[in-house]
Amino acid sequence: MAATIKGAPRRRWRIAWLLGLGVLVNYFDRVNLSVSHGALYTAFGISDVAFGYLSAAYNWSYALCQLPVGVMLDRLGVGRVQRIGIFIWSMASFAGALSPNLTGLFGARLLLGIGEAPTFPANAKAIGVWFPTNERSFATSLTDAAAKAASAIGVPLLGILLLRVGWRWSFAATGAISLLYLLVFRGLYREPEEDPELTEAERRLIAEMAETPAAEGPALSLGELLRQRKVIGLSLGFGAYNYVFYLFLAWLPSYLSAALHIDALHSFLYTGVPWLFATATDLFIGGLLVDALVSRGWNAPLVRKVVLVAGTACGLGILGAAHAHSAMQALMWISVSIGGLSAAAPVGWSIPALITPRASVGKVGGIVNFVCQASGITAQIVTGYIVKATHSYALAFGISAIYLLIGIAGYLVLLGRIEPMKTSYLPAA
């Protein structure tokens, strides 16, 4: 099996790199706000609570769009939906740069959430149709690791740009990069059946090595999918992951600056350290290692489950950061936390295509991402209130650890074995 893959054409990997580039670009837009926290305080007099709400504004519209986006992806396809989304998020970045006041910036962030809403459900669907199952973890890790690399690269670069020319120009820069990506995506993305350069050998490889029980079957309604134990378990686990992810995404530079008394420039630079580590664990553990073990004949559901649960458990390292007394201690524990969660993330994103009929993968991706965004909203707002009330991040980090324990239980008890769902429409695996 592994030899067959090594000898096959590799056009499908162009799609994975293209999708990963899109995640990198749209996360530049997302982290721009956390980088601009201090500048926005100067410009608009924004408080910690208001910043929490502003950070979550993106997630509100993003979350509300998840279920309809899932339906649109299953009906219209990845290419058409993503082209519209990229254009919208590009305009949102420019709108942020031109915002005359805090209300205008809220509006720009809401628009950004609408534009970027299709990204991860679309990526899950695209990888499900472009890749055989024993390559999906690495293909998914290329897209998911890009989110971490965006923080590792984007926070220092955008921070330096902000310090030199101001926060408005940093927003405008991300808008310009997004428009360039739209041109690239429009020129390169095709569905497998529409790509004239996809060879018949590669097309057969993708089809023959797919897990057909999950790939076939009629589309399931949102109502039926919402009642599935596996969907609930996956949503709980990923919701816990996203709670911690967005807590760090929105608040890590401020935490390093305020709690550990680091100046703005060094807080931007130090923020990149845990995200670089997370990028590596995402690619090499959640991606390459999982695919290598599956290709060597290891039990695929067990390999994925172990990485999923163990990685999420490493997220509990956030408790160490809650009581850190130096920047080095904090960075070590945060690296353990976000690194473990990042190793689990590509496995989690590959699961919708493994447990769901092909015609319903977009809807399951939408359900999971809706829960993720609701968790991200909660993390950013709750953290703002806690920091204002306690002048500390310890309680905020402790709450995230409790959610992680609930997520681990969801993976173990509800998701169970990673295999096609058993419904009245699907044969038992």
Side-chain angles (χ1 to χ4, degrees):
M1 183 177 292
T4 304
I5 287 186
K6 288 179 182 177
R10 301 177 62 83
R11 187 168 178 79
R12 62 197 179 278
W13 288 104
R14 182 193 64 171
I15 297 297
W17 286 105
L18 176 67
L19 299 175
L21 179 61
V23 173
L24 183 75
V25 170
N26 76 35
Y27 265 85
F28 281 167
D29 297 316
R30 302 189 199 191
V31 302
N32 224 346
L33 192 66
S34 65
V35 171
S36 303
H37 188 176
L40 293 174
Y41 177 82
T42 301
F44 301 130
I46 187 170
S47 67
D48 285 330
V49 171
F51 181 75
Y53 278 102
L54 181 60
S55 298
Y58 159 89
N59 300 82
W60 282 107
S61 53
Y62 190 105
L64 291 173
C65 288
Q66 287 308 299
L67 298 183
V69 156
V71 175
M72 289 172 62
L73 284 167
D74 288 334
R75 290 184 180 176
L76 303 178
V78 170
R80 189 180 305 177
V81 174
Q82 270 292 74
R83 286 194 297 271
I84 296 170
I86 296 165
F87 178 76
I88 293 173
W89 95 52
S90 302
M91 295 302 102
S93 291
F94 288 119
L98 297 172
S99 297
N101 50 42
L102 192 56
T103 301
L105 194 54
F106 263 103
R109 299 300 290 184
L110 288 169
L111 185 62
L112 183 69
I114 294 171
E116 295 190 355
T119 302
F120 277 91
N123 288 355
K125 187 173 181 68
I127 288 170
V129 299
W130 268 99
F131 286 86
T133 55
N134 59 338
E135 290 181 338
R136 285 181 192 167
S137 288
F138 184 57
T140 303
S141 75
L142 288 176
T143 64
D144 191 72
K148 286 73 179 180
S151 294
I153 300 168
V155 171
L157 289 181
L158 291 171
I160 292 171
L161 182 64
L162 179 148
L163 291 173
R164 289 184 177 273
V165 298
W167 66 273
R168 293 186 185 276
W169 281 106
S170 69
F171 275 77
T174 58
I177 293 170
S178 297
L179 280 180
L180 289 175
Y181 176 67
L182 173 59
L183 297 176
V184 174
F185 184 88
R186 184 181 179 85
L188 294 182
Y189 187 82
R190 301 288 186 276
E191 299 292 348
E193 61 271 15
E194 298 171 350
D195 192 335
E197 297 182 39
L198 182 65
T199 66
E200 188 58 34
E202 189 168 11
R203 196 185 308 275
R204 283 200 306 271
L205 173 69
I206 295 169
E208 289 171 4
M209 299 183 70
E211 291 183 2
T212 53
E216 303 300 331
L220 304 179
S221 69
L222 280 174
E224 180 160 11
L225 291 169
L226 287 168
R227 294 192 296 270
Q228 294 296 319
R229 288 169 57 92
K230 289 184 180 298
V231 174
I232 296 170
L234 179 61
S235 299
L236 279 175
F238 245 66
Y241 154 77
N242 222 46
Y243 188 99
V244 177
F245 180 80
Y246 269 96
L247 190 159
F248 286 141
L249 194 71
W251 289 96
L252 184 53
S254 300
Y255 162 72
L256 292 174
S257 179
L260 300 175
H261 311 294
I262 299 172
D263 64 77
L265 177 60
H266 284 88
S267 72
F268 295 146
L269 296 175
Y270 287 174
T271 295
V273 173
W275 292 114
L276 279 174
F277 182 71
T279 303
T281 59
D282 202 310
L283 287 171
F284 294 107
I285 298 178
L288 285 172
L289 178 62
V290 170
D291 279 346
L293 295 177
V294 171
S295 295
R296 284 166 173 74
W298 288 48
N299 184 302
L302 181 60
V303 168
R304 293 176 180 129
K305 190 65 171 294
V306 168
V307 173
L308 189 67
V309 174
T312 305
C314 286
L316 295 170
I318 195 171
L319 290 173
H323 303 288
H325 298 294
S326 70
M328 291 303 101
Q329 283 183 340
L331 291 175
M332 180 191 72
W333 284 113
I334 291 169
S335 296
V336 169
S337 178
I338 198 64
L341 290 167
S342 297
V347 176
W349 278 119
S350 70
I351 290 175
L354 298 174
I355 66 173
T356 314
R358 182 172 180 173
S360 299
V361 172
K363 286 192 282 292
V364 171
I367 291 168
V368 172
N369 218 11
F370 175 82
V371 176
C372 284
Q373 298 315 307
S375 300
I377 290 167
T378 306
Q380 292 168 97
I381 293 175
V382 167
T383 301
Y385 277 108
I386 290 174
V387 170
K388 181 181 180 182
T390 66
H391 303 289
S392 169
Y393 287 80
L395 179 58
F397 288 179
I399 290 172
S400 69
I402 294 172
Y403 194 0
L404 284 172
L405 291 173
I406 295 171
I408 292 169
Y411 285 148
L412 292 173
V413 178
L414 297 175
L415 175 62
R417 183 179 170 85
I418 300 173
E419 61 187 5
M421 296 183 298
K422 298 178 178 66
T423 75
S424 57
Y425 300 106
L426 296 176

